[in-house]
Amino acid sequence: MQQNHRFPVGAGSLAPAHGGLTAAVPLAKLASLDSAELAKNCPNAIELLSNIASAIASQKSDEPTQLFRLGNLNDLERKLIDDMLGEGEVAGVIALPGGSLAQIQESVLAGIWRIRLETDAAHDYIEVGAIPEVVKRAASDLTSSALTIGAAPDGVMNVLPVLAEIRERALAWRPGLRSQIINFTLLPMSPVDMAFLQQSVGNGPIQLTSRGYGTCRVMATGIRNVWSVQFFSATDTIILDTLEVGGVPTVAMAADEDFEDSVERLQEIIEAYFK
């Protein structure tokens, strides 16, 4: 697949900083405490973890997320939470109004997310659910429902009917309907076609990266319900290049079976630290 099939992102505009939310922290003090001392020094963290465990035990992928503020944690407790939850497969950034960013990072427990809003240090929280609400809100509120198809440049082959199909599907899609995929790996699209398609749909406010089985990049386009979903090889070559019309692509979301697994794993982690 040609590299020119990538949907470009402005240089650095939505590039997630590596380890931005749960970067390595000095854990010497934590390491020096036994379980009884940890429990004594981190009561708010213990309560938070218990509440998160209860939340994820009842969470369903199609239900509203559950949010937990971190404002009452001291520095030691924050480091403990960072250490216990770690960094999972999905991370991303969302461009918010006013030029600020929201960073999201899935923990090692699928369905438990860490979110930080750049504008306010107090807006650092944990969210339990399939995908953080800020992603859904940005996809709905910061994109356009109208796909305007302008005059095509010389040299186009198949892009006009493809754009017409995207526009029709995007307008018709509603929550609960299955997403529809347009696979550019299989379509005879010229570089001129792809350039005009990218120009027409534009770039949206969301960029997510999943590193589960290989690397997958998920980006909202400027058109509501239209996403670029690209899978990369180990050498950073695109091996599957698609547009997905629908809700947030499932490759970035936690499923019900993920919640079930995370409940068990979180209980094991809590016991390892405090018992």
Side-chain angles (χ1 to χ4, degrees), residues 42-119:
C42 302
N44 294 321
I46 294 174
E47 181 180 6
L48 172 64
L49 290 166
S50 176
N51 290 338
I52 290 173
S54 296
I56 200 165
S58 62
Q59 186 66 40
K60 299 297 181 183
S61 58
D62 58 351
E63 293 179 349
T65 61
Q66 301 176 69
L67 187 148
F68 300 90
R69 299 288 183 186
L70 305 178
N72 66 331
L73 301 184
N74 60 40
D75 289 344
L76 183 64
E77 289 175 319
R78 283 176 174 267
K79 292 173 183 177
L80 177 64
I81 294 297
D82 286 346
D83 186 44
M84 294 178 71
L85 296 184
E87 293 185 355
E89 295 176 352
V90 181
V93 287
I94 299 95
L96 302 174
S100 62
L101 296 176
Q103 294 182 316
I104 71 169
Q105 174 67 61
E106 190 175 35
S107 75
V108 295
L109 304 171
I112 300 177
W113 306 82
R114 187 75 173 271
I115 299 90
R116 177 172 295 154
L117 303 185
E118 191 179 73
T119 52

